[in-house]
Amino acid sequence: MLNDTDARFLRIAYDEAKAGYDEGGCPIGSVLARGDTLVSQGRNQRVQKGDPIAHGEMDALRKAGRQKSYRDTTLYTSLSPCMMCTGTIIQFGIPRVVIGENTTFGGNEDLLRERGVEVLIADDPDCIALMTRFIEEKPELWNEDIAEE
């Protein structure tokens, strides 16, 4: 169950995803927070910047700049993290991840949990609807994003 802080930051991640969709990109947004304080927010910018690793989580982490530690942070993401973003979460020692949805893309929740990360899945209907719409409208772009043929 999400608390009020989780719901607020997940909504910001969704708003980032929607902004990415409106720009013609992949609708995946993310937020890095320390308690109830927003550290950074970002969105998938692979299309907008021509950067193959500019996933939503990576954009939020890049915008956060250098941090002495991530051990007191939560990463919010509108979509379950891919292997690259999962690896970064593990590498940085981020202890908690709140996922908007994993219906349209089953990421790596089990690997995160195996590495001691607390994972909450919100099953957010807005996140599900936005990704479903995007995948139906632009399957080739979605397949490129997840490196599928």
Side-chain angles (χ1 to χ4, degrees), residues 13 37 45 65 74 79 87 91 94 96 109 111 116-117 126-127 141 146:
T37 302
Q45 303 230 19
T74 298
L79 184 66
Q91 176 71 32
I94 296 170
R96 187 167 182 267
E109 300 96 2
L111 177 57
V117 177
D126 291 337
C127 291
L141 184 53
I146 59 173

Side-chain angles (χ1 to χ4, degrees), residues 7-21:
R8 179 169 59 98
F9 287 135
L10 187 57
R11 176 50 47 179
I12 294 170
Y14 169 79
D15 290 343
E16 285 284 342
K18 179 67 168 71
Y21 174 85

Side-chain angles (χ1 to χ4, degrees), residues 76-90:
Y76 297 85
T77 181
S78 62
L79 184 66
S80 185
C82 72
M83 186 57 75
M84 176 179 65
C85 295
T86 294
T88 302
I89 291 163
I90 293 167

Side-chain angles (χ1 to χ4, degrees), residues 3-75:
N3 62 37
D4 290 343
T5 299
D6 291 337
R8 179 169 59 98
F9 287 135
L10 187 57
R11 176 50 47 179
I12 294 170
Y14 169 79
D15 290 343
E16 285 284 342
K18 179 67 168 71
Y21 174 85
D22 291 343
E23 295 167 351
C26 300
I28 304 162
S30 189
V31 166
L32 183 67
R34 184 168 276 114
D36 63 357
T37 302
L38 175 77
V39 175
S40 64
Q41 61 193 72
R43 61 181 165 269
N44 186 301
Q45 303 230 19
R46 292 183 68 255
V47 172
Q48 299 91 316
K49 293 187 175 179
D51 180 347
I53 63 170
H55 287 200
E57 299 90 337
M58 304 301 259
D59 189 50
L61 290 167
R62 185 175 285 128
K63 288 176 177 172
R66 291 175 57 194
Q67 301 288 312
K68 289 186 180 190
S69 174
Y70 296 87
R71 303 226 179 259
D72 59 348
T73 63
T74 298
L75 185 74

